[in-house]
Amino acid sequence: MTLLANIKAFSKTRWSWGLLLLAIIFFELCALFFQHVMQLAPCVMCIYERVAMFGIGGAALIGLINPRNTLLRWLGLGAWGASSIKGLTLSLEHVDYQFNPSPFKTCDLFVTFPDWAPLNEWAPCCLKPMGIVRKWCGSSCRFLCRSGWWLSLRVIWWR
């Protein structure tokens, strides 16, 4: 069997979609740990990145329903791809805010969510921005800056 055939066969199992969902749950719990235990206040970009991760989790749930159904599997793969691309563009912009500080490129608290989706009111415990990234190692994303050496390598690789 070729590699692509193995990947296709793996995508038809519940184990693959469950593993994706468990990874998303783990990363969301890490974000909540950083927010509530380590007191690292998330900025607006952090919240938008969390919402993109929720999109990937929703895609995992779609694929988990019936991975052998071609329509549901492709719907899950499409939602996964769209959420991943959106999350990647948001994270690249977020890293750019920190590595190239400017008074004109900031992640402000005054950026609001759309009226049709007030995320900060629906789940304020995990989706309320409380910090601002204005410069390198600002008050909100210290962990990102401390681990920025490997993140910068990943960003350079993607460009």
Side-chain angles (χ1 to χ4, degrees), residues 141-157:
C141 293
R142 289 187 191 112
F143 175 77
L144 182 65
C145 291
R146 287 184 192 141
S147 62
W149 64 270
W150 66 268
L151 187 61
S152 63
L153 292 176
R154 294 180 80 186
V155 168
I156 290 169
W157 182 75

Side-chain angles (χ1 to χ4, degrees), residues 27-127:
F27 288 127
E28 291 294 338
L29 288 175
C30 286
L32 291 175
F33 176 80
F34 291 142
Q35 178 180 350
H36 293 293
V37 177
M38 294 179 67
Q39 299 297 318
L40 298 174
C43 64
V44 175
M45 291 300 289
C46 294
I47 300 301
Y48 282 143
E49 290 166 13
R50 285 186 195 179
V51 172
M53 292 287 279
F54 286 143
I56 297 172
L61 287 174
I62 291 171
L64 197 59
I65 292 171
N66 187 1
R68 296 217 176 260
N69 185 335
T70 306
L71 178 65
L72 284 177
R73 190 174 68 247
W74 278 105
L75 188 64
L77 287 171
W80 182 10
S83 295
S84 297
I85 289 170
K86 185 62 179 175
L88 178 65
T89 58
L90 288 169
S91 64
L92 288 174
E93 184 180 351
H94 195 185
V95 169
D96 186 52
Y97 287 164
Q98 293 184 341
F99 288 147
N100 302 312
S102 167
F104 304 108
K105 293 188 330 183
T106 60
C107 184
D108 291 332
L109 281 174
F110 305 111
V111 176
T112 59
F113 294 103
D115 291 334
W116 55 271
L119 300 174
N120 55 341
E121 295 172 9
W122 291 348
C125 65
C126 64
L127 295 177

